[in-house]
Structure formats: C-alpha cells, structure tokens
Amino acid sequence: MALSGSKVVLRSMLGRRFQTVTTTLTVAIAVGLLLTILSMRDATRQTLERGSGNMHLVVSAEPSAMVSVLNAVFHAGTPSRALPWLQVLQLRRDPRVAYALPMQQGDSFEGYPVAAVEPEFFESFSPDSSFDPASGNAKGRWLVSRGRNIEGRFEVVLGALVARESGLRIGDTLQLTCGLGGGGFVHEGFPYTIVGVLELSGTPHDRVIFADLVSGWIVHAQDKRDREGGGAGARVTEGDLTSADRLVTSVYVRGVVRDGRQVSSAIAELASELRRTPSLTVASPSAEIDALFRIVNRVDRILIAMAFVVLVSGAVSIMLALYSAGQMRRREVATFRVLGASRGQLVRWVLAEAMALGVMGSVVGVVFSLAGGLLVSAGLKAQLGLVVTPSVSPWGIGVVGVSAVLLAALAGVAPAVLAYRTAVAEHLRPLG
Amino acid sequence: MPTALKIEDLSFRYDRRGVDSPPVVRVNSFVLGTGEMALLRGASGSGKTTLLSLIAGLLNPTLGRIWIADQDLHALHGASRDRFRGRHLGVVFQTFHLLHGFTALENVLAALMFSDIPRREHDARARGLLDRLGIERLDARPEALSVGQQQRVAVARAVACRPTLVLADEPTASLDPDNACVALNLIKDACREAGAALLCVSHDPAAEEQFERVEDLSSLSGRS
C-alpha cells in the first residue's frame, strides 16, 4: 500500500509512544474536567429544581431560608427547631393555600433520612411541578410502584433508591434511630412496617423513608415520658398526645393557582405576611436554589478557569513534545526534503500531528467526563441524596472538543516553523 | 546528446555578512549525458557535498546555472523545485539517512510519495526493487538490518522514482575495499536498470576504477 501523509504522521506518533500517550492524557484530563463541570452543573441544577416539586413555599423555624430548603427539601441535615401544629392549622385555613403539608424530620434508618408525613401527603405533593392536586387530573401524581401508600399507624413507604440499595422489602419491619448519623438512640418498641415503594422521581426524596406522622409523634412522646419518668412508663397512645407533642419541622405550602398555571400570584403576598412572624422562616425553594447556584457558579467559574489552564498546559505539552521531537529529527526532516517533500507538506504534517493529539485527547476526555460524571453523581447521591444524571450535551462536546483541537493546532505552530526552517544541506552533513 | 545534468559557470560562496569569503564551489562547465555515469573526485573539504547540494537544489548558487533534464533547476522555486527533485533526483548518502520508525518497504515508498508514478503502482514497484536488491525482510526497521542491507534499501529508495539523475555522496567511505566495490556495482546496476545517470562524488581512489569517466573537482573549476 502506498505511503500517505497520514501514515507518516502516525509513524511519527508511534515513534514516540510515551510522549504521545502522556500528551494525549494531559489534553484528555483537561477536556474531561471541563465537560464534567459543564455537564454536572446543568444536571445538578435540573435535579435541584426538580426536588421542590409542585410546592411553592417551605415554612419552618430554621435559622435561615437556605437551611430550611436544604433540610426540608434535600434532607441534608437534622432540623434544629420545630413548629407547633397550630401553625399548620392556620396555614390550612388560609384561602390562598391549596395545601399545607406538615413534615417531621430528624430520625433515620441505617443512614437513610426519615420524613414523617400524613398519608394525604402523597395525594397532594409531587416531585413533578406540573401536578396540580386541585385539577382532578392524576397526571404527574407521585404513586407507589409496589405495595400501597401509608394508611395506618407505624407504616412506612420507601423511596425508590432506599428500596434498591438497602435490600428492604415490603412486609419487613424497621426501628428508627434518632438523628441522621449512625450510633443514635434507637426508638425501640415501635417497629414500623414497610407497606410500599414509591416511584423513582430523580429527586432527593428517592433516598428518604416516609413514615406516618402521628406515629412519629407517639414515638417521640413516649421517649419524652420515659425520660421525664426516669424509666419505661405507660405506653403512649394517639389519645395521649398533647399539643406539645404535635410538632413538625417544616410545612410544604402550595398556593391556589388558576387552571393551567403553576405559579400562584397570591403566594408572594402570603409569604410576605408570614415573614412578619419572627419565629417563622419562609423559604421559596426556587429562590434559594438560585441563590445556591450563584454561590456554586463562582466555584464553577474557578473550576472552569482551572480546566482551561490545564487545557492550555496540555497544548504547551503538545508544543514541547513536537518541538523536542522536531529538534531530534531534523535529519529525518531534511531527508524528507531531499526525497521531494515541500516545506508546506512538512508544516501540514506537524500541524496534523498536533491536531491528532488534540482529537485523541478530546475523545479520551469525553470518556473521562462520562466516568467523572458518574463518580460525581455517585458522590452527590451518597452525600446529599441528589440523583443527578450526568449528560454531556453535543454542544458542550463540540465547543470543548473544537477548542482543544484549535489549541493543539496553535501549539503545533512553533514545531511546524522549526520543520519549515530546517536547513536541509546543513542537517545532512557531516555524512560520516 | 540529451543531457541529464548540465552545469555552467557555477559558483557558490557562503553569505557571511561583512566578510568577502572565497567560493566554496566553482564549476566552469560540466555535462552528464542521459544514463551516463561519472565519478567526481576531490579531497575532503573540496566542496563535493556542497556541489551535490547545489545540484539537488537544496542550496542556491551565487552565480551560474544548473539544468537537470533540460530544466533550469534554480528557475524553479519553493514547492515546484521540491516536486521536481522528488521526480527527477535520487540521492544515496554515505550514512544512508534511512527513516527510522519506517520499515524497509516504507522507506522506499516514502520516495515514491513524491514521484509522478501512480500511487497504485507504488507498492509493487517498491517490493520489486527491494526484491531485486536482495532484501527479504521488507517489514524490518533500518536498525534491524545489516549495514549492507541498509545500503541496498538506500539504493532502492534513490532509484524508486525512476530519476533522471542519481547523486551518490561518498557511498563507499564507511566500507572496506571489497564491500566498497560491491556497493558501487550495486548502485551502478540499479541506475542502469532505472535508466538514470549517476554522479558519484568520492575521495576514495579505489572507486575511480569503477568508472570510465572520472573528473577532478579542481579541474572543473580551472584551478588545476
């Protein structure tokens, strides 16, 4: 088969495999880093926005709106303060409120956070923001994929990821632990029965165990009585619960919306009124997510800048590799000139080699970014419960890939000039 | 008689600013007919290699002209001259200058890349040449070949493009007398077969016996 320019370039690259591999890896790491950051940023935002579902406000007693959203929506930590049940009732009486769904957090099972809610929670709240419980349309409603919803006391339903990862099955029983970390106080004597598994929603709620709210009050009231009585007292029943026992850590609030709309005009007015009560923290999840992203974007920009620096360093390493190869192989360049290669051909070969390194680095970088995305996504799931599906957009791949190849081509200019300026007669002597 | 090479009033001096350096090469007149073979002798440092570089179009003369196959070589510039060199000239170096990282076959194919021989014929021509010159390990890299085999590959590469003229620069300098004789015969046979003229420069007296025409570089410049 005849020799071609591409084969000459390939031979050149194979002739210095180590440099080719290390240079390709440098470019690949930069491309992978850039694509991972870009893809995770978009995917994380989508996931965070999905987490708040069809609610409009979170009302809690947390010290800040951001903490309120992180705890109530993303189950990131244990709430520090509670709201009285009376507050829930007041919200429910407000004609501007479509639903006010109480939640009590603070317990866990084997590291999975537990959210105690009323059985009606699943009829109204949905991770799908388009679901309007008042419309009568079931589209977008959060259903169980197996078993049934909570109907009685001491029943739980599992988030889809809890069911997948923990090995727990419908019919199994579990006892909750106080606090989110391991080693907490176990609420013994109150086994909960698993009655269902929720559909996968792609939100932090997938790694939550949803328990019956009243049962949670009973468990905590029993603990309180036992502590105060200095030992095991009489078993607490629903009828024994006082208003002091009926505490919630947050309330999901949705405003009344007109048909076909997802935004309530009255909700801003309601939020403003509620904020006048000093003990309440009223948070708009979308506003807090925006604020969170403004913080994250600053870090993003630094990371993207760093990745560009790595990309430029990759280009520099291409230049150094080709330049040093060019220095060592000036006699070979001179030989090609004697055989009839023009200066232009030599320049094209060097630039083609640089661009080939850029292309190979970009391709490997895309693979790196997919692996990196999976790693980051696993980390986010484990640490924050965020289910982020990393996806690299073709646009992102195109822009980063083309940038890498152009930078590589630019890096090839100096070595190409070296080849262009090789004095043939000088480098073919001395002949001995 | 058609000429492979014609040189007239050639002079070359290195351009050193502010210094009036003497000419390194001066040739009043030299003609090599098509298929003719000649040896150009000269002592070390007499400018033999510089003359070959001028004939190959790798250096530009200070004065004078060189024709190859009736083409004024230095009237061509840049890529045109490179293309012309690839089609009409073959060069055998003393140390062969084979391309490392390329196989024996690819070294010959490299010369064919720049020839006007159709690409579909390259492979068969390169294999045929190497076969006739006794190279069996076509996929071997130069470093895996003996010195004699490397020289054969270099000769095959020089004649691959069916050149008008082959330039051989001290082709026997690193060989013992017996192998020098074999090497020169190899080059001459290959040129004869390819219909190429051969201009061999050497300071080896034993090489003179191999050529009917022997010229002294100093006599060409009228300095003898």
Side-chain angles (χ1 to χ4, degrees), chain A residues 321-334:
Chain A
L322 293 181
Y323 200 87
S324 86
Q327 286 280 18
M328 285 188 293
R329 290 156 56 176
R330 294 183 91 162
R331 184 166 280 194
E332 193 172 300
V333 168

Side-chain angles (χ1 to χ4, degrees), chain A residues 1-5 7-8 11-12 15 17 329 331-343 345 349 424-425 427-432, chain B residues 14 49-50 53 58-59 79 82-83 85-86 89 91 93-95 97 99-103 106-107 109-111 113-114 119 122-123 141 157 169:
Chain A
M1 204 202 306
L3 202 61
S4 59
K7 199 160 186 179
V8 172
R11 280 277 179 261
S12 169
R17 285 185 182 82
R329 290 156 56 176
R331 184 166 280 194
E332 193 172 300
V333 168
T335 305
F336 265 115
R337 289 293 315 284
V338 169
L339 294 177
S342 66
R343 291 173 194 270
Q345 267 170 316
W349 289 349
V424 182
H427 285 92
L428 291 177
R429 70 164 67 153
L431 297 178
Chain B
Y14 286 105
T49 301
T50 304
S53 293
L58 300 171
L59 291 174
D82 294 322
R83 204 161 33 245
R85 182 169 50 246
L89 274 173
V91 182
F93 299 96
Q94 178 188 333
T95 47
H97 289 321
L99 299 163
H100 290 273
F102 290 78
T103 64
E106 286 167 346
N107 263 277
L109 289 170
M113 268 179 91
F114 309 106
R119 281 175 61 85
H122 288 191
D123 193 62
R141 301 284 164 89
R157 189 178 68 180
D169 189 358

Side-chain angles (χ1 to χ4, degrees), chain B residues 8-138:
Chain B
E8 275 185 7
D9 300 325
L10 182 74
S11 172
F12 176 81
R13 72 181 73 207
Y14 286 105
D15 180 21
R16 296 190 179 92
R17 285 176 191 174
V19 180
D20 190 16
S21 59
V24 179
V25 172
R26 202 162 63 195
V27 177
N28 293 338
S29 175
F30 180 79
V31 175
L32 193 65
T34 303
E36 191 180 0
M37 298 186 188
L39 178 88
L40 199 57
R41 71 182 166 201
S44 289
S46 61
K48 299 188 299 295
T49 301
T50 304
L51 175 60
L52 289 193
S53 293
L54 286 162
I55 296 171
L58 300 171
L59 291 174
N60 290 322
T62 310
L63 290 170
R65 296 163 84 180
I66 297 171
W67 288 266
I68 292 170
D70 298 325
Q71 168 66 50
D72 183 350
L73 182 62
H74 294 95
L76 299 172
H77 297 281
S80 312
R81 194 192 293 176
D82 294 322
R83 204 161 33 245
F84 183 84
R85 182 169 50 246
R87 292 175 180 177
H88 291 276
L89 274 173
V91 182
V92 180
F93 299 96
Q94 178 188 333
T95 47
F96 320 134
H97 289 321
L98 294 178
L99 299 163
H100 290 273
F102 290 78
T103 64
L105 179 66
E106 286 167 346
N107 263 277
V108 181
L109 289 170
L112 286 162
M113 268 179 91
F114 309 106
S115 72
D116 53 5
I117 295 171
R119 281 175 61 85
R120 61 179 181 279
E121 295 174 20
H122 288 191
D123 193 62
R125 175 153 180 80
R127 286 175 188 277
L129 277 169
L130 289 169
D131 182 50
R132 281 200 292 284
L133 289 167
I135 300 295
E136 291 173 355
R137 297 164 61 203
L138 304 186

Side-chain angles (χ1 to χ4, degrees), chain A residues 16 36 61 83 98 135 157 228 238 277 302 339 356-357 379 384 431:
Chain A
R16 41 187 190 82
T36 302
L83 292 172
S135 70
V157 289
E228 289 168 351
E238 193 175 338
T277 308
I302 293 168
L339 294 177
L357 288 168
L384 296 175
L431 297 178

Side-chain angles (χ1 to χ4, degrees), chain A residues 242-266:
Chain A
T242 65
S243 59
D245 296 320
R246 296 172 188 269
L247 297 175
V248 297
T249 53
S250 59
V251 186
Y252 285 7
V253 177
R254 178 181 169 87
V256 174
V257 293
R258 277 189 272 165
D259 285 349
R261 299 209 178 177
Q262 289 168 22
V263 181
S264 166
S265 56

